[in-house]
Amino acid sequence: TLNDQVPEAYRGMDRFEARKKLITELQAHDILIEIEDHQHKVPHGDRSGTVIEPYLTDQWYVDAEKLARPALEIIRSGAAQFVPRNWEKTYYGWLENIQPWCISRQLWWGHQIPAWYGPDGHIFVAETEAEAQEIAKKHYGEDRVLERDPDVLDTWFSSALWPFSTLGWPEKTIELEKYYPTQLLITGFDIIFFWVARMIMMATHFTGQAPFKDIYIHALVRDEKGQKMSKSKGNVIDPLTLIDHYGTDALRFTLCAMAAQGRDIKLATSRVEGYRNFGTKLWNASRFAEMNGCVFDPDFDPSTANLSLSHWILSRLKITIEKLDQNLAQYRFNDAADTLYHFIWGDICDRFIEMAKPLLSSDNLQDKQEIQKITAYILRHAYIILHPVMPFITEALAEKTTQGLPPLIHTKWPDLNHITLQEQYIQDIDLLVSMIDEIRSVRSAVNVPASAKIALYITEIDPKSQNAIEKNLEILTRMARLEHVSFDNNFSADGAMNITVDRITALSPLGDLIDITKERARLTKDIEKVKKEISAMEGRLQNEKFLMNAEQHVIDETRERLTEKQDTFSKVTRILSSF
């Protein structure tokens, strides 16, 4: 053995002590010529600073190639799949070129190797020491003292057993029957081989099936410039610091909103702050509802609603839940977060609550009571669907506003398929929303003062649309900040903006509020500037050298900015042509 080649006096000694002893012996025999410093490249441990040198020892190995064959088939057959699918290449790359797996480690703790040595070094492998003793007795013909191998199993070997060993395997337990195999594993790409592949290898070997169906590979969190976070670079963002400043919910929503499949997350403090404001927006909406007597009624049937606004917001909720179901089923968490954001901030806060204000202060008791119940109903469901992403603020709001009901974490995911909605009512409010958005867009684009009220003269309109506007005239004038609305197909005026929505054409004279010549010149200048920016970005994205040499995040950013500029160009061109 190797030990036999080492002088007896040095056997078992620490390497550094052996070197000192060797120098002492050389000096004692007067054969040491000199000692000099030597610059070497022996590596050191990055944490302990310990010198790392080769040290040959006996180790335990597993025939990994044999384990890999069924594990490869699990992915190829579709019994389990990676999300995104491109990570299959990494999995195949490892398993198709796999080497024997060293499963023994010289650590202080872990699952000890189930092997015992007899006095002559003969190895006995067994599940228990008693079983090993029985095997040894048959081998030697008598009892012998056995010594257990001091090594422990590789951490990845132990953790590869996790999906089923934690559920009582190899016994057929209730837990194993209920929870195994599971649906989803979420992990990082860097341990596809070290953990994912080994869990599949172990599972197929011991249980005959994949331990999970879907393997979602999440992104890396980088800094706002796309650089990997590093202490030496000083660009590390401490999540605990962000939580202290903006709250856990805001950080959770930020990471969810940015978790697009196949793309790393570029985390910026400003994004977390923005989603903190999103939480505040929902809190303020809930306070407004509370102040206006909107109390959740568990016995309320939304199908009995009579108001157009009620049917519209219920349809938005229904569409939102359908989108969420689809996004979550496909692990598109960023799309799910985007859906939640636009529903809660856009549909509920910016539109529904603003449109509900006249009804909440109405003398019509029936309309007021309906809108109170609808508001409470919508907010309750907003808490439920937002809860998986922002659990703390939603649970707090639910507790304050719907006392006596189970916590959100124990609440079923909503299904609104039983609700009957009036399509015409929904179309009426959709038209109203489009009118309000277009008028606001025009006002903003040409710098109409926010406090100024403008007149609107509708020159072309079909009967259905006119009926929808007349029914909801108070909402339109309030939200678009209109002085009055007139239906006049003969109206014309210099300095009027043309506002077109669907089958409606309207004019709004703005000559007394803005300098039309100046605004037209400014918009023309803006269009020219945006055209140059679009041309530059298109040229860059058509340049093969740029596409080959630029980092992927730079290419992605350029494409995103191009889309934004193209949208800006369309909007400004449309506004300019409206004069």
Side-chain angles (χ1 to χ4, degrees):
T1 65
L2 287 172
N3 204 40
D4 293 335
Q5 299 174 32
V6 178
E8 190 172 346
Y10 286 85
R11 292 176 190 175
M13 286 188 70
D14 178 271
R15 55 186 159 160
F16 297 115
E17 295 303 319
R19 289 169 188 171
K20 290 176 184 177
K21 181 178 174 64
L22 179 61
I23 291 171
T24 301
E25 288 198 16
L26 289 171
Q27 289 172 331
H29 288 82
D30 198 24
I31 56 175
L32 179 66
I33 298 173
E34 72 172 308
I35 297 175
E36 64 178 27
D37 291 336
H38 173 65
Q39 191 77 28
H40 61 71
K41 294 185 178 180
V42 176
H44 291 66
D46 60 341
R47 296 181 184 177
S48 64
T50 305
V51 175
I52 301 172
E53 294 179 279
Y55 180 61
L56 296 176
T57 56
D58 293 326
Q59 302 292 333
W60 290 88
Y61 286 83
V62 165
D63 185 357
E65 186 179 357
K66 184 177 179 181
L67 289 174
R69 285 196 290 269
L72 281 164
E73 187 57 30
I74 287 290
I75 300 299
R76 286 176 179 148
S77 67
Q81 64 174 352
F82 282 90
V83 182
R85 294 292 293 270
N86 61 287
W87 288 111
E88 288 179 0
K89 295 177 184 176
T90 302
Y91 180 86
Y92 293 145
W94 277 104
L95 267 64
E96 289 170 350
N97 302 284
I98 200 165
Q99 301 296 316
W101 176 10
C102 178
I103 62 165
S104 50
R105 294 291 183 271
Q106 295 71 53
L107 301 174
W108 292 349
W109 59 275
H111 293 140
Q112 199 168 351
I113 297 283
W116 287 260
Y117 298 93
D120 58 356
H122 191 87
I123 301 171
F124 303 95
V125 176
E127 286 191 19
T128 65
E129 186 172 2
E131 188 180 332
Q133 288 284 2
E134 287 295 319
I135 299 171
K137 187 175 182 179
K138 289 179 182 178
H139 176 78
Y140 292 117
E142 60 181 346
D143 289 331
R144 292 289 182 92
V145 176
L146 302 181
E147 183 179 346
R148 188 167 184 177
D149 194 310
D151 287 358
V152 298
L153 289 168
D154 169 26
T155 302
W156 295 115
F157 185 97
S158 297
S159 58
L161 305 170
W162 178 268
F164 45 91
S165 64
T166 54
L167 300 173
W169 177 91
E171 303 299 328
K172 292 184 177 179
T173 63
I174 296 172
E175 292 80 8
L176 188 67
E177 180 70 24
K178 182 175 181 180
Y179 297 112
Y180 186 84
T182 188
Q183 173 69 26
L184 172 67
L185 171 75
I186 299 179
T187 189
F189 72 88
D190 52 335
I191 55 172
I192 285 176
F193 173 66
F194 295 104
W195 197 34
V196 178
R198 300 187 196 206
M199 279 194 284
I200 295 176
M201 286 194 290
M202 290 297 201
T204 52
H205 182 76
F206 288 115
T207 72
Q209 58 186 324
F212 28 71
K213 180 169 177 54
D214 298 329
I215 306 146
Y216 179 81
I217 303 299
H218 63 68
L220 283 179
V221 180
R222 299 178 181 271
D223 70 9
E224 57 189 305
K225 295 180 181 177
Q227 300 295 315
K228 193 171 181 178
M229 292 188 191
S230 163
K231 289 181 182 177
S232 59
K233 289 181 181 177
N235 65 340
V236 174
I237 302 176
D238 187 343
L240 295 179
T241 301
L242 290 174
I243 288 170
D244 287 341
H245 280 89
Y246 305 111
T248 305
D249 282 329
L251 180 58
R252 286 172 61 101
F253 198 97
T254 304
L255 296 176
C256 186
M258 301 178 75
Q261 286 182 16
R263 294 183 61 182
D264 289 342
I265 293 171
K266 288 181 283 186
L267 185 60
T269 304
S270 59
R271 293 294 295 265
V272 186
E273 183 179 7
Y275 290 123
R276 188 270 312 273
N277 297 341
F278 169 67
T280 303
K281 188 84 170 176
L282 178 60
W283 189 277
N284 289 339
S286 302
R287 284 185 63 194
F288 170 82
E290 186 180 30
M291 290 166 58
N292 283 275
C294 304
V295 179
F296 180 73
D297 180 0
D299 298 323
F300 172 63
D301 181 5
S303 296
T304 62
N306 294 312
L307 295 169
S308 299
L309 184 57
S310 300
H311 285 258
W312 178 80
I313 193 60
L314 286 167
S315 75
R316 299 308 304 162
L317 174 61
K318 197 172 182 180
I319 290 167
T320 297
I321 293 171
E322 289 169 356
K323 284 184 178 178
L324 285 175
D325 288 342
Q326 186 177 10
N327 292 331
L328 294 174
Q330 297 173 351
Y331 304 115
R332 295 190 171 278
F333 301 117
N334 61 310
D335 291 337
D338 187 62
T339 298
L340 286 165
Y341 186 91
H342 282 95
F343 173 65
I344 291 171
W345 191 301
D347 291 336
I348 295 180
C349 299
D350 279 0
R351 296 191 178 96
F352 171 72
I353 287 180
E354 291 301 317
M355 289 190 279
K357 284 178 179 177
L359 295 166
L360 288 169
S361 58
S362 171
D363 294 332
N364 187 321
L365 188 60
Q366 186 176 349
D367 288 355
K368 181 177 180 178
Q369 288 177 341
E370 178 182 314
I371 213 68
Q372 285 173 327
K373 288 183 178 182
I374 285 289
T375 302
Y377 182 91
I378 293 297
L379 286 173
R380 168 72 184 179
H381 283 75
Y383 306 151
I384 296 171
I385 61 178
L386 181 61
H387 184 69
V389 188
M390 301 182 87
F392 300 104
I393 188 173
T394 50
E395 198 71 83
L397 286 169
E399 187 178 337
K400 284 177 68 70
T401 59
T402 51
Q403 294 172 352
L405 292 179
L408 294 181
I409 198 169
H410 294 151
T411 302
K412 286 185 178 180
W413 189 254
D415 180 359
L416 271 59
N417 288 327
H418 64 284
I419 297 177
T420 303
L421 299 175
Q422 295 294 327
E423 190 60 36
Q424 187 56 54
Y425 289 175
I426 297 166
Q427 291 174 7
D428 288 351
I429 301 298
D430 277 340
L431 176 66
L432 207 66
V433 168
S434 297
M435 284 288 292
I436 293 165
D437 287 349
E438 183 64 15
I439 294 167
R440 285 177 171 179
S441 180
V442 168
R443 289 179 61 119
S444 174
V446 297
N447 293 320
V448 174
S451 59
K453 290 188 176 183
I454 62 175
L456 190 71
Y457 295 87
I458 298 176
T459 57
E460 292 180 30
I461 191 168
D462 64 284
K464 268 189 178 180
S465 299
Q466 183 166 341
N467 182 56
I469 288 177
E470 287 176 340
K471 275 201 311 182
N472 301 284
L473 195 56
E474 186 177 0
I475 293 174
L476 177 62
T477 55
R478 178 191 177 95
M479 294 190 66
R481 295 201 62 77
L482 301 178
E483 187 178 7
H484 65 82
V485 177
S486 301
F487 297 91
D488 185 352
N489 56 8
N490 294 316
F491 178 82
S492 65
D494 291 333
M497 289 292 291
N498 190 322
I499 298 169
T500 304
V501 174
D502 200 8
R503 298 176 299 277
I504 301 173
T505 302
L507 292 171
S508 180
L510 302 177
D512 295 336
L513 297 172
I514 61 171
D515 185 330
I516 292 174
T517 303
K518 183 179 176 182
E519 290 300 323
R520 185 184 284 115
R522 181 181 62 80
L523 291 171
T524 303
K525 189 176 179 181
D526 287 347
I527 286 176
E528 292 304 315
K529 180 183 176 183
V530 172
K531 275 174 69 176
K532 288 179 182 177
E533 291 173 333
I534 289 172
S535 178
M537 283 185 276
E538 286 177 337
R540 193 185 293 186
L541 290 170
Q542 291 166 7
N543 186 326
E544 290 186 13
K545 196 171 181 181
F546 169 74
L547 296 174
M548 286 178 62
N549 298 328
E551 293 185 21
Q552 187 60 45
H553 74 90
V554 175
I555 297 171
D556 292 340
E557 282 178 4
T558 305
R559 287 193 177 118
E560 287 174 6
R561 286 174 53 220
L562 175 60
T563 302
E564 289 172 4
K565 292 298 179 183
Q566 287 171 334
D567 289 344
T568 301
F569 178 79
S570 298
K571 178 183 174 181
V572 177
T573 302
R574 177 171 52 80
I575 297 297
L576 186 60
S577 65
S578 297
F579 277 109

